[in-house]
């Protein structure tokens, strides 16, 4: 008998949390959170559960977030979407989280579309009572809206369990009375509630224990939505809280999916650099196979601990999973920017904030607000999807004063980034290149300033686990370029190392000069930020092209292409 095709986890590496999956015929659609990044909500498509292709970001026009994301706090914004299909429509519910104090303003919207690629309807505000909303479409034609209830009262726990209320699909409003029908279990109150109806039972799948190393997924069931709900004997369904050596930590926030005669759950996870250490790739999406035992779901491995590799569905036999997410971006007037390029808290306007036409073959960014701004930055960022990668660009920039900056940044949020930038030094009357770090609002330089001659330069950052190293050279210097990945090529076909000079400022044989020493890449992780800030962080590290003009918003910087190359796709 042939061995089954194995799926390596995570199936969506890098910042891709809070998965919600729906099957429509032979197609599987998976939605994930984006928080303050724009366009909002990512939707991926698969036919085999092995490979996933980006197909849509439904929140792609400002009207779909009526209160706007500009001004939202870091790790606020669009949380935990839920994607479903009923009555010939895709239904997407999502939360715009505006505050995080004793109060939590959570605006829950619903939109629909005849196809997952749109067009999506205008949003309807359903409720603001809590977050993690979902829709359940019952077999009798009735629809229900669930969400976690938030309690602001100082004597209460804040997270107060789960509520359910009937939902009118015509008016898209709640009807009847809200019922507080499930308050949680031994691992804490319920978040991320989702209901599956199977064999006459209503199965309530919940997340508990927070989103960190105590995260879990639990199941309870009842014969009716009125309850009472009884806990599964396989409790919890999924966790790595008691398995510190498991490569898939923080496992929880799951959803069911049936694939032919087989069943799976998708779930949130994170991979630390060291046991229970820092996770710069953020929260990712993984897949586990389950089986039904006496009417209860259980992981097919017979435990509650996730596996790094799981059997693919029988119909996916022979599928080859994509292991390398490297890409080369060439800027051209008739080629849109890749969907992986994200902006912060709202869209950038072509020919106003950026241009692909003014200088063909280049991306022109018009300098805007600083990297600390919660409103509008001129920035395009791509998520990290491997622990070891190199990113490179060419920068042509002629600043006129020190308030004009442009360059290449490793970015987590507005309080945490490492920025290699060009600016103007009026004392020496020349351009300079240096590194500025923001570490939970503490600013420091990462190197001495380098005086630059006129002309375009190339910038490169090489991330190797906890460390990052920047390098530069004058554009046009003869030497090794980052090669394009051959069609069908794998990570092992790429160079294993990238040369960096050991002496500060000394060029190697290809013209690259180091810019400072190692930088703390692992600081761009929710674990480090939460430890320093004392407040939750939910996203993941990005690499960004950006420009600032804190003077007159008139300067511009031109970027000649962008390359992201993974050295390895394997977990540490």
């Amino acid at each position: 008998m042939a061995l089954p095709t194995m799926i390596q986890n995570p199936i969506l590496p890098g910042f891709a949390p809070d998965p919600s999956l729906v099957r429509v015929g032979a197609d599987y659609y998976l939605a994930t959170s984006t928080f303050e990044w724009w366009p909002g909500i990512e939707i991926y498509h698969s036919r085999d559960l092995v490979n996933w292709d980006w197909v849509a970001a439904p929140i792609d026009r400002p009207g779909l977030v009526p209160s706007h994301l500009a001004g939202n706090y870091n790790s606020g914004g669009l949380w935990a979407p839920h994607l479903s299909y009923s009555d010939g429509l895709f239904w997407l519910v999502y939360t715009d989280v505006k505050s995080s104090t004793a109060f939590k303003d959570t605006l829950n919207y619903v939109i629909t579309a005849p196809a997952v690629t749109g067009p999506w309807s205008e949003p309807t505000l359903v409720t603001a009572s809590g977050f993690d909303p979902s829709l359940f479409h019952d077999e009798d034609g009735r629809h229900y809206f669930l969400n976690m209830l938030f309690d602001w009262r100082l004597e209460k726990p804040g997270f107060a369990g789960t509520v359910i209320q009937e939902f009118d699909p015509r008016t898209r409003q709640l009807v009847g009375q809200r019922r507080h029908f499930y308050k949680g279990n031994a691992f804490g109150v319920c978040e991320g509630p989702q209901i599956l109806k199977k064999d006459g039972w209503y199965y309530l799948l919940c997340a508990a224990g927070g989103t960190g190393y105590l995260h879990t997924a639990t199941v309870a069931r009842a014969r009716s939505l009125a309850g009472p709900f009884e806990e599964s004997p396989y409790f919890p369904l999924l966790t790595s809280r008691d398995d510190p050596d498991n490569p898939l930590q923080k496992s929880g926030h799951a959803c069911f999916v049936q694939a032919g005669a087989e069943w799976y759950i998708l779930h949130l996870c994170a991979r630390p650099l060291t046991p229970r250490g820092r996770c710069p790739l953020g929260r990712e999406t993984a897949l586990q196979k389950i089986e039904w035992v006496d009417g209860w779901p259980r992981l097919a491995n017979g435990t509650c601990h996730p596996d790094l590799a799981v059997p693919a569905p029988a119909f996916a036999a022979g599928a080859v999973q994509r292991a390398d997410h490297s890409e080369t971006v060439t800027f051209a007037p008739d080629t849109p920017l890749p969907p992986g390029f994200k902006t912060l808290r709202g869209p950038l306007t072509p020919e106003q904030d950026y241009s692909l036409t003014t200088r063909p073959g280049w991306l022109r960014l018009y300098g805007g607000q600083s990297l600390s701004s919660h409103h509008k930055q001129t920035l395009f960022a791509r998520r990290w999807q491997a622990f070891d990668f190199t990113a490179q660009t060419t920068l042509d920039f002629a600043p006129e004063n020190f308030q004009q900056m442009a360059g290449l940044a490793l970015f987590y949020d507005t309080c945490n980034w490492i920025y290699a930038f060009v600016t103007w030094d009026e004392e020496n009357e020349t351009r300079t290149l240096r590194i500025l770090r923001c570490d939970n609002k503490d600013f420091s330089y990462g190197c001495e300033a380098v005086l630059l001659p006129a002309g375009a330069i190339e910038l490169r950052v090489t991330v190797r686990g906890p460390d990052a190293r920047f390098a530069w050279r004058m554009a046009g210097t003869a030497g090794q370029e980052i090669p394009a990945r051959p069609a069908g090529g794998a990570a092992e076909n790429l160079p294993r190392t990238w040369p960096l000079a050991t002496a500060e400022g000394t060029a190697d044989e290809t013209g690259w000069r180091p810019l400072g020493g190692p930088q703390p890449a692992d600081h761009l992780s929710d674990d480090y930020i939460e430890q320093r800030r004392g407040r939750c962080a939910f996203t993941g590290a990005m690499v960004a092209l950006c420009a600032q003009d804190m003077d007159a918003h008139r300067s511009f910087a031109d970027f000649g292409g962008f390359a992201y190359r993974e050295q390895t796709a394997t977990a540490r």
Side-chain angles (χ1 to χ4, degrees), residues 12 14-20 30-35 42 78-81 253 267-269 281-285 383 538-540:
L12 293 181
F15 165 41
D18 307 325
S20 172
L30 193 168
T32 61
S33 299
T34 49
F35 295 86
E42 305 276 22
L78 302 178
W79 286 20
H253 198 111
H267 65 96
L268 176 156
C269 70
L281 300 187
R283 299 179 302 150
E284 307 171 291
T285 290
R383 61 174 51 85
F538 297 130
T539 57

Side-chain angles (χ1 to χ4, degrees), residues 234 289 291 298-305 307:
Y234 305 107
K289 190 171 186 178
E291 58 187 7
R298 183 181 70 176
L299 292 189
N301 64 18
T303 77
C304 61
H305 300 143
D307 285 331

Side-chain angles (χ1 to χ4, degrees), residues 221-487:
R221 73 179 186 181
R223 283 295 186 183
S224 76
L225 290 174
F229 281 83
E230 60 175 318
E231 301 292 345
S232 169
Y234 305 107
F235 179 85
L237 173 64
L238 172 73
T239 191
S240 50
R241 61 187 290 153
D242 59 343
D243 189 6
D245 295 324
N246 194 300
L248 302 178
Q249 291 293 308
K250 307 182 184 180
S251 291
H253 198 111
C255 64
F256 291 115
V257 61
Q258 185 176 7
E262 300 168 276
W263 283 82
Y264 293 82
I265 56 169
L266 279 87
H267 65 96
L268 176 156
C269 70
R271 293 176 292 165
L273 290 167
T274 58
R276 296 285 162 92
R278 295 167 184 168
C279 307
L281 300 187
R283 299 179 302 150
E284 307 171 291
T285 290
L287 181 78
Q288 303 296 324
K289 190 171 186 178
I290 64 172
E291 58 187 7
W292 292 87
V293 181
D294 298 327
W296 291 101
R298 183 181 70 176
L299 292 189
N301 64 18
T303 77
C304 61
H305 300 143
D307 285 331
L308 195 60
V310 298
F315 59 76
V320 178
Q321 187 175 8
R322 186 183 308 117
D324 181 14
H325 297 272
S326 301
E327 69 173 337
T328 298
V329 180
T330 301
F331 301 125
D334 56 351
T335 303
L337 293 173
F341 271 29
K342 310 292 286 185
T343 59
L344 273 172
R345 295 178 172 83
L348 295 181
T349 304
E351 308 309 325
Q352 176 179 318
D353 302 311
Y354 73 97
S355 176
L356 291 168
T357 61
T358 304
R359 186 180 179 183
W362 297 73
L363 169 65
R364 175 161 292 183
L365 298 184
Y366 295 97
Q369 298 173 23
S370 76
L371 286 180
S372 295
S373 175
H374 284 212
H375 293 267
K376 186 175 182 179
Q377 297 191 32
T378 308
L379 171 152
F380 285 105
R382 185 207 193 279
R383 61 174 51 85
W384 304 5
Q385 292 181 275
F387 292 112
D388 302 326
F389 70 89
T390 297
Q392 181 176 324
T393 190
T394 300
L395 171 64
D396 195 0
F397 179 47
E400 296 179 349
N401 63 55
F402 70 92
Q403 291 179 305
Q404 298 171 352
M405 309 161 68
L408 182 67
L410 299 178
F411 190 94
Y412 184 93
D413 62 21
T414 62
C415 298
N416 297 273
W417 38 263
I418 307 170
Y419 187 19
F421 67 97
V422 173
T423 189
W424 181 257
D425 181 344
E426 66 270 28
E427 294 182 5
N428 291 290
E429 296 186 342
T430 188
R431 299 186 307 164
T432 61
L433 170 66
R434 75 186 318 175
I435 294 172
L436 180 64
R437 295 200 302 242
C438 182
D439 192 320
N440 278 288
K441 297 183 181 180
D442 293 334
F443 290 84
S444 63
Y445 288 119
C447 70
E448 296 296 324
V450 175
L451 304 183
L452 291 178
I457 67 169
E458 294 179 73
L459 284 174
R460 186 180 75 194
V461 62
T462 301
V463 174
R464 296 291 181 260
D467 297 323
R469 291 178 181 268
F470 288 87
W472 71 279
R473 68 181 178 186
M474 296 306 297
T477 301
Q480 179 182 351
E481 302 292 338
I482 297 179
R485 178 167 61 91

